[in-house]
Amino acid sequence: MEGEMLNRFSKNISYAVLKELSLARKARRNNDVLQEFSHLENAHVLGQNSTYWHTKVHCHMLYWARRNGDHQELRGQLLRVFGAFTKTAVGLVPEGNTGGSNVSPFKPLPISALHQQKITRAKQI
């Protein structure tokens, strides 16, 4: 049952995550690296209860770090990709964590009302 719910959540949250990934690509085309990463963080918050989206967003963050020569972020994302892939399904997800290496991967953070609404709706549908 839990696996079914997570698959349903992955599908239901996909539009919101893909929207943020699209906005990140747009920011990258405009050479706005900070705005790009901000959209990746939003995608992370929205999709982190899905192993698929959680891992995918960390891969995007990893590529961001590589493109921008941010070695600290690159190292942090290597660990987070592995963690997202292996720990999400067992519920080891600090809600609201933005996913960057500037934040402990274990620290929960407040979730904006809009993001919380999208997450709640995706879990209920």
Side-chain angles (χ1 to χ4, degrees):
M1 178 70 162
E2 185 176 321
E4 180 182 320
M5 187 186 101
L6 289 175
N7 287 334
R8 187 177 70 213
F9 174 79
S10 294
K11 180 181 175 190
N12 293 340
I13 202 67
S14 64
Y15 177 81
V17 175
L18 287 169
K19 178 71 173 171
E20 290 295 335
L21 292 176
S22 175
L23 291 169
R25 279 191 303 278
K26 182 178 179 183
R28 182 172 63 236
R29 285 192 304 270
N30 291 330
N31 295 314
D32 190 340
V33 295
L34 297 179
Q35 188 65 34
E36 178 186 1
F37 200 79
S38 177
H39 287 296
L40 295 176
E41 289 175 320
N42 288 339
H44 181 269
V45 170
L46 291 165
Q48 73 182 134
N49 286 304
S50 157
T51 300
Y52 174 78
W53 289 117
H54 194 186
T55 304
K56 185 173 183 80
V57 170
H58 277 297
C59 286
H60 280 274
M61 290 177 161
L62 177 73
Y63 299 144
W64 179 94
R66 193 177 110 219
R67 276 193 316 275
N68 292 290
D70 188 329
H71 300 292
Q72 178 181 341
E73 189 67 38
L74 186 68
R75 284 188 300 276
Q77 289 306 322
L78 285 170
L79 295 172
R80 284 162 176 80
V81 167
F82 177 76
F85 185 72
T86 61
K87 307 292 187 243
T88 305
V90 294
L92 294 177
V93 177
E95 295 292 324
N97 187 293
T98 54
S101 66
N102 62 329
V103 177
S104 166
F106 307 106
K107 182 177 183 173
L109 296 171
I111 301 175
S112 75
L114 180 59
H115 286 154
Q116 187 60 61
Q117 179 184 20
K118 291 177 182 182
I119 292 165
T120 301
R121 191 176 327 131
K123 287 180 178 180
Q124 291 175 346
I125 299 174

